[in-house]
Amino acid sequence: MKFDWPYFWESLLSPSPQFLSGLALTVIISVVAMALALLLGLVIALMGRSRFLPFQLFASLYIWVIRGTPLLVQLVIIYTGFAAAGIFRFEDTDVLGSLIKGAVQAAIIGLMLNESAYISEIVRSGLESVDRGQNEAALSLGMTPMHSMRKIIVPQAIRIMVPPLGNSFNGLMKSTSILSIIGVSEMFQVGSTMSAATFKVFEIYIVVALYYLLLTTVWTFIQTAIENTLNVRAGLPRAEPVFKRLFGIRSRKQATPAPAIALQPADAA
Amino acid sequence: MTTQHAASTSASTPPSDPHDNIVQAVDVCKSFGDKKILTDVNLTVARGEVVVMVGPSGAGKTTMLRTINRLESIDSGEIRVNGELIGQRVNKHGKVVERSARDLARQRADIGFVFQHFNLFPHMSVLENVSLAAVEVRHQPKSKVNDYARELLERVGLADKADARTRSLSGGQQQRVAIARALAMRPALMLFDEPTSALDPEMVGEVLTVMKGLAEAGMTMIIVSHEMGFTREVADRVVVMDAGTIIESGAPEQVFSNPKHDRTRQFLSKVL
Ligand SMILES: Nc1ncnc2c1ncn2[C@@H]1O[C@H](COP(=O)(O)OP(=O)(O)O)[C@@H](O)[C@H]1O
Ligand SMILES: [Mg+2]
């Protein structure tokens, strides 16, 4: 086997500016798409819970279509398909002094739409996990349904939702690697370009893999910290330690049935 | 108990409320699906009155109580609290329509409700549970509300638990917090749905003691309960429900020792 160690270490420890900007783009696209997907997912979840039938139908249809088709196909339809059919073309746009490529906008929109369908299901089951009596108690104290949602239901549902939402974000960061198909120069795309120019295919993709691993590992630490904060605030035991979830070691027995942990085991990467 | 305030009757006092009745339910009907749960229920409660509702399981007691603060809607009939239709209003064409969510919330703020299973907010401390609504709904200053909340916790014997988590409390303590939480809104009426039936027997007394204190202080209460000793002591009136209707109503001694209805006799023989 031929493995160019010096080239590997060089690429890993002092990555080129192009590679770093690819990494930055991966992070930015992930965070922005996730933030937007959270908002849209909440809206879809609320539509699904609405008493207004057209809202319910729209939410079901949306979730069905988005979850039933591949992200790759959705991205190509949004970016290339829409433009080809003359429906909509993503143009490079200046946002707060920096030029955002059309492909990047399409990537964010596509990931947001895709992720929001999954998030709406997480939000829905999180909201449903809060006992009906909680809402009734809030209403009986003179809160409006919206007020009860904000002060009573959502704060309790969040604790249930964070582990699956965190896993979702983990998956989202990894799925940015397919954005190369619409020409977004995120980390994977930069890696492919480099490997085509240098033929150091194995070395470069190992470096790319290690950087994805770094991202998802850092995120696992952040997610654990968030879960711990929420659990402590709710007077519950702490979440699984980071090293355990990174290596997939789960406690077989939960000391206390803490739904945030028991419902949806969080696994890293 | 029923007093007439003829002199103070102002234009804003609805004509339908001449006897200062805080609750006036007329011909209330309610079905779940095609199952009739309440059939022509009539119930009037005067200010300061303590009414205990009894009856076999499935009689519709919980449903009736929940219609009074509109946690449950009604199919026909009308329910007035403080003279206002609860959750409904008459529009300018004389049609009865739903009130807005905000308007209904305003009405509910004056009606305390104590649930069988407490329904305390687990993500808040005991003190926050009690003070939340006064701050959030009545927009009273937090420090003033907290003072009053501590006073109420003292009244229910839980002054030392103000900063505790609700999870760490026993059932009896949780129910007393739930009562304090409802009282923090200074309600004109308190509704209790079997407040002691989810409790271990040794904790029933502490909750009933708090409720007796409220009755003595003149609070208007409608209580669903099977605690007959307690009922005899605090009830001004006992209302017996069976199969979705009120079959009997009267002073506790009269209903307990000389029931008019066979079904009442049957029911009492099981609980007394
Ligand atoms: N949300 C509901 N949907 C369908 N049926 C219900 C609902 N709530 C209560 N019921 C039915 O209504 C009847 C009366 O219930 P309830 O008011 O709880 O009686 P009680 O409190 O006297 O035991 C019962 O047969 C119960 O099954
Ligand atoms: Mg009941």
Side-chain angles (χ1 to χ4, degrees):
Chain A
M1 188 186 85
K2 220 166 75 233
F3 192 84
D4 188 342
W5 283 103
Y7 182 83
F8 168 77
W9 287 117
E10 161 99 33
S11 314
L12 184 68
L13 299 177
S14 50
S16 65
Q18 294 93 309
F19 190 84
L20 284 179
S21 73
L23 175 67
L25 195 55
T26 293
V27 173
I28 290 169
I29 289 178
S30 302
V31 171
V32 175
M34 184 71 186
L36 295 173
L38 280 170
L39 290 176
L40 185 58
L42 183 66
V43 171
I44 301 289
L46 292 178
M47 287 174 96
R49 282 166 64 95
S50 150
R51 293 236 184 91
F52 186 53
L53 194 63
F55 279 178
Q56 272 183 37
L57 289 176
F58 176 82
S60 310
L61 189 72
Y62 183 85
I63 292 167
W64 176 57
V65 169
I66 300 272
R67 297 208 307 182
T69 53
L71 172 60
L72 186 60
V73 177
Q74 293 164 10
L75 283 169
V76 174
I77 290 177
I78 288 174
Y79 187 59
T80 323
F82 280 8
I87 298 172
F88 183 78
R89 185 182 298 275
F90 287 93
E91 307 282 2
D92 299 358
T93 322
D94 199 52
V95 177
L96 303 170
S98 52
L99 190 74
I100 310 290
K101 286 241 174 68
V104 172
Q105 299 166 32
I108 288 174
I109 299 292
L111 287 171
M112 168 189 81
L113 293 175
N114 184 267
E115 199 62 25
S116 66
Y118 294 89
I119 287 178
S120 76
E121 288 290 277
I122 294 172
V123 170
R124 189 184 55 76
S125 67
L127 294 177
E128 276 170 11
S129 74
V130 179
D131 186 71
R132 214 166 51 104
Q134 291 289 307
N135 187 44
E136 293 185 345
L139 296 182
S140 77
L141 288 166
M143 292 191 184
T144 61
M146 278 305 283
H147 204 158
S148 159
M149 182 63 97
R150 267 196 302 121
K151 284 281 164 182
I152 305 300
I153 311 213
V154 169
Q156 294 183 64
I158 289 244
R159 221 171 42 75
I160 311 288
M161 296 185 306
V162 163
L165 286 178
N167 294 342
S168 222
F169 181 59
N170 214 313
L172 172 66
M173 280 196 292
K174 288 179 288 177
S175 51
T176 55
S177 60
I178 68 164
L179 296 177
S180 54
I181 201 79
I182 57 170
V184 175
S185 51
E186 41 65 56
M187 188 161 64
F188 182 84
Q189 165 86 337
V190 175
S192 331
T193 312
M194 283 164 66
S195 76
T198 60
F199 300 106
K200 308 278 184 203
V201 179
F202 193 36
E203 291 84 348
I204 285 172
Y205 283 119
I206 293 289
V207 169
V208 169
L210 287 172
Y211 272 95
Y212 278 114
L213 190 59
L214 176 71
L215 288 183
T216 55
T217 304
V218 167
W219 171 247
T220 303
F221 275 91
I222 296 173
Q223 184 184 334
T224 308
I226 297 173
E227 286 175 31
N228 277 334
T229 310
L230 291 172
N231 282 359
V232 167
R233 206 183 292 165
L236 288 171
R238 300 174 72 82
E240 293 272 290
V242 173
F243 78 90
K244 278 196 174 180
R245 44 172 74 191
L246 281 176
F247 300 119
I249 309 166
R250 314 299 306 180
S251 303
R252 212 164 299 158
K253 216 175 75 195
Q254 300 285 352
T256 19
I261 307 161
L263 266 188
Q264 184 97 22
D267 43 41
Chain B
M1 219 50 55
T2 312
T3 44
Q4 211 115 29
H5 298 282
S8 68
T9 302
S10 65
S12 68
T13 308
S16 59
D17 187 23
H19 299 295
D20 207 15
N21 287 326
I22 191 153
V23 176
Q24 194 158 38
V26 180
D27 294 339
V28 172
C29 292
K30 167 83 186 173
S31 302
F32 285 116
D34 30 348
K35 198 168 158 216
K36 195 121 206 220
I37 306 297
L38 299 176
T39 313
D40 295 327
V41 177
N42 288 279
L43 178 67
T44 304
V45 178
R47 216 171 281 275
E49 200 178 11
V50 176
V51 173
V52 175
M53 219 188 268
V54 300
S57 173
K61 306 180 296 295
T62 297
T63 308
M64 185 57 211
L65 203 64
R66 288 163 57 90
T67 62
I68 296 172
N69 76 343
R70 195 79 179 176
L71 282 177
E72 216 70 78
S73 63
I74 58 178
D75 300 337
S76 63
E78 62 170 52
I79 299 179
R80 285 175 192 275
V81 177
N82 261 329
E84 278 185 352
L85 287 177
I86 182 90
Q88 297 181 313
R89 62 185 175 83
V90 180
N91 72 5
K92 60 175 183 287
H93 307 295
K95 241 185 97 191
V96 175
V97 295
E98 291 268 310
R99 271 180 204 271
S100 69
R102 180 161 293 281
D103 209 16
L104 174 56
R106 172 189 61 77
Q107 294 183 309
R108 282 177 176 148
D110 293 328
I111 308 171
F113 200 106
V114 175
F115 299 84
Q116 191 172 356
H117 296 285
F118 335 131
N119 296 343
L120 292 183
F121 305 132
H123 57 304
M124 297 175 184
S125 71
V126 165
L127 187 71
E128 286 168 329
N129 264 275
V130 178
S131 53
L132 175 80
V135 174
E136 290 287 331
V137 176
R138 297 241 196 262
H139 305 291
Q140 292 166 354
K142 196 156 189 171
S143 62
K144 211 179 111 203
V145 171
N146 280 348
D147 289 346
Y148 186 49
R150 284 182 198 280
E151 194 184 310
L152 288 171
L153 285 174
E154 178 132 22
R155 255 170 79 185
V156 301
L158 292 170
D160 55 327
K161 296 288 184 190
D163 299 315
R165 287 265 149 208
T166 60
R167 247 183 271 279
S168 68
L169 304 183
S170 72
Q173 291 172 329
Q174 291 196 43
Q175 194 59 296
R176 285 184 282 154
V177 173
I179 293 172
R181 176 176 71 176
L183 290 175
M185 296 298 283
R186 304 180 193 268
L189 165 71
M190 288 281 282
L191 308 175
F192 293 82
D193 187 14
E194 301 203 34
T196 59
S197 66
L199 300 179
D200 293 336
E202 71 271 21
M203 292 170 184
V204 169
E206 64 197 50
V207 172
L208 294 182
T209 305
V210 167
M211 292 169 65
K212 272 178 218 162
L214 281 177
E216 277 157 23
M219 176 62 78
T220 313
M221 303 199 273
I222 306 177
I223 305 166
V224 176
S225 178
H226 290 160
E227 299 293 336
M228 291 306 155
F230 165 80
T231 302
R232 226 181 260 279
E233 228 177 301
V234 305
D236 295 314
R237 190 150 53 97
V238 174
V239 165
V240 186
M241 276 194 82
D242 184 52
T245 53
I246 291 178
I247 56 172
E248 187 154 356
S249 166
E253 312 81 59
Q254 184 253 302
V255 172
F256 288 165
S257 47
N258 190 17
K260 291 193 210 110
H261 208 287
D262 274 351
R263 294 285 298 165
T264 311
R265 212 180 303 269
Q266 274 172 32
F267 168 71
L268 291 174
S269 70
K270 282 188 208 125
V271 291
L272 281 180

